[in-house]
């Protein structure tokens, strides 16, 4: 279907909540700088609305939303707020610099939420809906109202609240499947019923917001669109609370590939999907599962002999879309220790990176060091190297040097020098294995009470000289912090990953006091 043939009534608005709902995924904390970088990529790739955060949650959230509002070129910048006027006013203040801005305010409407969470009667909730939307509308013409736990709300009460919200000035109505409970047919019927029964429904855009607890977030979102919703709330890689949200890359490509049965379109540049996936994965230190639809490492891999034979004869035998349509390029071996800055910069552009001059220089130095240790440099090696630099650029604790003595005769010993806020400190520790010795040494230099929840190793590429990528998750005070480190030396990668998680933990603790945890337990959708 050509661009000129596309009808506005079939356009689906993409509302990305990676920076709000996605960041609430346990351990998926992003730094201020990482949030800015993710927002800029979302803006460039054609996301219509970026939900940049929950401004009243913390000073850190407010600052990130405010900075993203200042920098946005195309997207509407949205902030989330509860029904309280102070929440709404704080949200309005955060998004004020944006060229186009939206306040997204929500309130629980299901019997179980009203009784136990809000401890209010339905008539009180109804009045709160009118008050919160009116307050938000006093700040901006673009107001979205969400009926939290909408799929478990009594239909008559839901219709009353939706009608009241639109009458008070809401221009977008979101009916979220907050707990991931619904199924496609049910969600379709819900939207169809509400849109038919609410007399002023034609004055608002209806939106889906689906969680993936039963693995149906994408299917439910598309069912909502078929029933008349024209906004999908989603996240890159489907990250989010519990089992996550509808994955942006999946809903976009479902409409693109199956346009015959899903005759809708979006403004997303699909060739940037893989890059967005990798950036969010690096920023949150959440690896993408190999068999993840669209952006997983195996999404375009074929191992079965029958499949390979078919692919050689005609790619369409086993591929319903080409790798290039989602920004996947074939692994190349052209980079090596003799490659110059210009070739390296060109390769980074090809992989979707846009680095400032100083970042490019740092990455090139690290590339040269890697090339001296590794015969063949794959695209994945460069991506791991640059992504790690992005993730650790603002860390207050960095590794300077490390020596490990290991073997059959224990205990193993690690001698470690760290740069801590500009000062170098050295220690030596022993442990039950080299990794234990390294982590003990880090603990000696940076004392903390966090518990190691996860330690995982896998190779970035093939061969005995492959870079190892290590994932570490630390738990402290009810929160989890995950980080990844990459290096041809597995022990060095382990130290980098552990320090990355530790840096995230200390950064969060220093920047955001206890209000963060209290607010995030009351999220919308």
């Amino acid at each position: 279907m050509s661009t000129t043939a596309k009808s506005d009534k079939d356009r689906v608005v993409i509302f990305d909540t990676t920076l709000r709902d996605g960041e609430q995924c346990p351990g998926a904390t992003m730094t201020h700088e990482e949030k800015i970088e993710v927002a800029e990529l979302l803006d460039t790739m054609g996301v219509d609305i970026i939900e940049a955060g929950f401004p009243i949650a913390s000073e850190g959230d407010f600052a990130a939303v405010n900075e993203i509002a200042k920098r946005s070129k195309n997207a509407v910048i949205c902030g989330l707020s509860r029904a309280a006027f102070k929440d709404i006013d704080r949200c309005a203040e955060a998004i004020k610099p944006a060229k186009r801005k939206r306040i997204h305010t929500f309130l629980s409407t299901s019997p179980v939420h009203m009784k136990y969470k809000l401890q209010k009667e339905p008539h009180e909730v109804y009045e709160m809906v009118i008050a919160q939307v009116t307050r938000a509308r006093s700040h901006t013409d673009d107001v979205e109202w969400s009926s939290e736990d909408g799929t478990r709300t009594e239909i008559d009460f839901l219709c009353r609240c939706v009608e009241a919200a639109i009458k008070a000035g809401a221009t977008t109505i979101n009916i979220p499947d907050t707990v991931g409970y619904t199924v496609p047919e049910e969600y379709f019927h819900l939207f169809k019923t509400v849109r038919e029964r609410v007399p002023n429904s034609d004055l608002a855009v209806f939106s889906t917001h689906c969680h993936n607890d039963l693995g149906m977030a994408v299917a439910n979102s598309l069912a909502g669109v078929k029933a008349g919703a024209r906004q999908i709330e989603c996240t890159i890689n489907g990250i989010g609370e519990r089992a996550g949200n509808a994955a942006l890359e999946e809903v976009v490509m479902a409409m693109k590939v199956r346009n015959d049965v899903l005759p809708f379109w979006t403004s997303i540049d699909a060739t940037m999907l893989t890059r967005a996936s990798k950036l969010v994965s690096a920023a949150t230190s959440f690896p993408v599962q190999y068999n993840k639809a669209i952006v997983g490492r195996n999404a375009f891999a074929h191992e079965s002999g029958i499949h390979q034979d078919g692919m050689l004869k005609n790619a369409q035998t086993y591929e319903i879309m080409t790798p290039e349509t989602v920004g996947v390029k074939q692994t190349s071996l052209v980079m090596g220790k003799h490659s110059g800055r210009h070739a390296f910069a060109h390769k980074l552009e090809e992989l979707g990176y846009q680095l400032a001059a100083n970042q490019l220089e740092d990455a090139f130095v690290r590339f040269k060091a890697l090339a001296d240790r590794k015969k063949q440099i794959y695209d994945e090696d460069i991506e791991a190297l640059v992504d790690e630099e992005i993730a650790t650029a603002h860390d207050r604790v960095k590794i300077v040097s490390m020596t490990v003595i290991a073997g059959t005769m224990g205990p193993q010993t690690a001698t470690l020098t760290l740069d801590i806020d500009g000062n170098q400190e050295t220690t030596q520790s022993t442990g039950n294995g080299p990794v234990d010795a390294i982590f003990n040494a880090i603990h000696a230099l940076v004392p903390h009470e966090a518990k190691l929840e996860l330690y995982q190793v896998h190779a970035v590429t093939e061969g005995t000289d492959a870079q190892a990528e290590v994932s570490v998750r630390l738990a402290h005070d009810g929160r989890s912090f995950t980080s990844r480190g990459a290096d041809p030396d597995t022990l060095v990668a382990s130290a980098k990953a552990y320090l990355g998680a530790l840096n995230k933990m200390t950064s969060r603790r220093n920047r955001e006091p206890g209000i963060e945890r209290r607010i995030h337990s009351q999220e919308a959708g």
Side-chain angles (χ1 to χ4, degrees):
M1 188 162 57
S2 67
T3 305
T4 53
K6 291 177 178 177
S7 165
D8 280 346
K9 70 179 178 65
D10 296 326
R11 180 172 187 265
V12 174
V13 171
I14 295 298
F15 177 112
D16 183 277
T17 184
T18 302
L19 297 171
R20 199 278 299 171
D21 203 327
E23 211 218 1
Q24 288 172 207
C25 180
T29 310
M30 284 182 257
T31 66
H32 180 84
E33 292 77 16
E34 286 164 349
K35 288 180 181 179
I36 302 303
E37 187 162 9
V38 169
E40 287 182 346
L41 183 62
L42 295 175
D43 197 15
T44 304
M45 71 188 282
V47 166
D48 298 287
I49 299 109
I50 298 171
E51 188 165 56
F54 201 162
I56 203 165
S58 67
E59 290 300 322
D61 256 31
F62 179 91
V65 174
N66 193 246
E67 187 61 31
I68 291 166
K70 290 174 185 174
R71 297 187 183 209
S72 173
K73 294 185 176 70
N74 306 304
V76 173
I77 301 304
C78 176
L80 182 71
S81 72
R82 294 168 303 178
F85 285 2
K86 63 178 181 178
D87 278 47
I88 295 166
D89 295 345
R90 185 69 168 157
C91 182
E93 189 182 348
I95 63 172
K96 193 174 182 180
K99 293 176 185 173
R100 300 163 66 206
K101 42 189 169 280
R102 172 181 295 187
I103 292 175
H104 178 194
T105 183
F106 69 95
L107 190 62
S108 295
T109 53
S110 68
V112 66
H113 274 227
M114 289 191 291
K115 182 177 179 180
Y116 295 106
K117 179 181 170 181
L118 299 180
Q119 296 180 336
K120 291 187 181 296
E121 293 298 319
H123 72 272
E124 295 176 284
V125 171
Y126 177 81
E127 293 301 329
M128 287 174 70
V129 171
I130 297 169
Q132 71 181 131
V133 173
T134 303
R135 183 72 165 207
R137 190 62 194 253
S138 71
H139 293 291
T140 176
D141 290 342
D142 191 345
V143 174
E144 176 171 341
W145 179 75
S146 283
S147 55
E148 187 178 9
D149 205 20
T151 53
R152 295 193 298 175
T153 297
E154 292 175 345
I155 192 66
D156 290 345
F157 184 62
L158 179 61
C159 288
R160 282 188 65 217
C161 288
V162 168
E163 183 179 356
I166 296 172
K167 192 173 180 180
T171 48
T172 300
I173 296 294
N174 179 37
I175 307 176
D177 184 27
T178 304
V179 292
Y181 179 73
T182 198
V183 296
E185 295 82 358
E186 196 174 64
Y187 205 48
F188 174 93
H189 181 69
L190 176 63
F191 275 91
K192 190 170 184 292
T193 302
V194 172
R195 291 183 65 242
E196 286 174 352
R197 285 179 51 178
V198 172
N200 54 1
S201 63
D202 60 319
L203 300 178
V205 172
F206 279 76
S207 176
T208 70
H209 180 118
C210 298
H211 280 262
N212 206 38
D213 298 71
L214 294 176
M216 289 186 277
V218 169
N220 287 334
S221 299
L222 295 171
V225 169
K226 291 186 87 169
R230 285 298 178 267
Q231 176 177 289
I232 294 178
E233 303 192 3
C234 46
T235 61
I236 300 294
N237 296 336
I239 65 169
E241 292 273 7
R242 304 180 314 279
N245 291 46
L248 182 150
E249 59 277 4
E250 293 178 27
V251 295
V252 167
M253 291 310 294
M255 288 184 279
K256 202 174 181 69
V257 174
R258 291 308 312 273
N259 203 247
D260 55 332
V261 291
L262 297 166
F264 313 106
W265 61 280
T266 73
S267 297
I268 300 294
D269 179 354
T271 63
M272 297 182 71
L273 291 174
T274 297
R275 177 68 222 119
S277 169
K278 288 178 177 176
L279 176 61
V280 170
S281 177
T284 58
S285 297
F286 261 55
V288 176
Q289 67 190 66
Y290 285 9
N291 62 330
K292 165 79 172 63
I294 315 299
V295 293
R297 184 181 292 187
N298 291 351
F300 297 96
H302 305 271
E303 190 167 327
S304 147
I306 295 171
H307 285 212
Q308 288 176 343
D309 180 64
M311 284 293 295
L312 290 170
K313 290 171 180 171
N314 188 320
Q316 290 183 350
T317 53
Y318 287 103
E319 279 188 353
I320 59 171
M321 55 193 148
T322 64
E324 292 79 15
T325 57
V326 296
V328 174
K329 294 182 173 64
Q330 297 301 311
T331 299
S332 86
L333 307 175
V334 297
M335 300 302 291
K337 65 180 181 179
H338 300 297
S339 300
R341 276 180 182 78
H342 181 73
F344 181 67
H346 179 74
K347 171 59 72 176
L348 289 181
E349 281 182 32
E350 197 177 83
L351 294 173
Y353 292 97
Q354 292 180 320
L355 302 184
N358 59 332
Q359 288 179 307
L360 180 62
E361 185 59 31
D362 289 344
F364 183 68
V365 170
R366 286 158 59 84
F367 161 71
K368 282 291 191 181
L370 180 62
D372 283 335
R373 302 165 67 190
K374 201 173 185 294
K375 292 176 185 175
Q376 296 174 323
I377 306 295
Y378 293 80
D379 289 356
E380 290 91 342
D381 289 313
I382 296 172
E383 287 167 345
L385 178 148
V386 178
D387 287 344
E388 186 192 328
E389 179 67 24
I390 290 168
T392 62
H394 301 277
D395 285 355
R396 57 179 287 266
V397 183
K398 295 185 179 183
I399 187 169
V400 177
S401 65
M402 185 178 79
T403 304
V404 179
I405 300 173
T408 55
M409 302 295 290
Q412 286 68 34
T413 306
T415 304
L416 183 68
T417 301
L418 298 180
D419 183 312
I420 305 172
D421 293 327
N423 299 313
Q424 291 193 8
E425 297 184 31
T426 303
T427 193
Q428 187 178 81
S429 295
T430 58
N432 183 23
V435 175
D436 189 46
I438 292 165
F439 290 0
N440 287 341
I442 293 172
H443 192 278
L445 292 175
V446 189
H448 61 87
E449 297 175 4
K451 178 186 175 185
L452 180 64
E453 277 190 335
L454 172 76
Y455 173 77
Q456 199 170 58
V457 183
H458 76 268
V460 172
T461 49
E462 299 148 6
T464 55
D465 65 348
Q467 283 200 94
E469 190 168 72
V470 175
S471 295
V472 164
R473 184 164 68 235
L474 297 178
H476 178 67
D477 197 20
R479 291 191 68 87
S480 296
F481 302 88
T482 309
S483 187
R484 286 187 289 175
D487 196 273
D489 188 322
T490 307
L491 298 178
V492 174
S494 301
K496 287 179 177 179
Y498 194 95
L499 284 173
L502 203 55
N503 274 301
K504 285 188 175 184
M505 187 181 81
T506 54
S507 168
R508 188 76 164 205
R509 193 167 56 207
N510 293 341
R511 191 176 74 242
E512 301 175 3
I515 189 172
E516 179 76 17
R517 289 189 300 280
R518 293 198 303 274
I519 295 290
H520 275 185
S521 68
Q522 303 177 57
E523 103 293 356

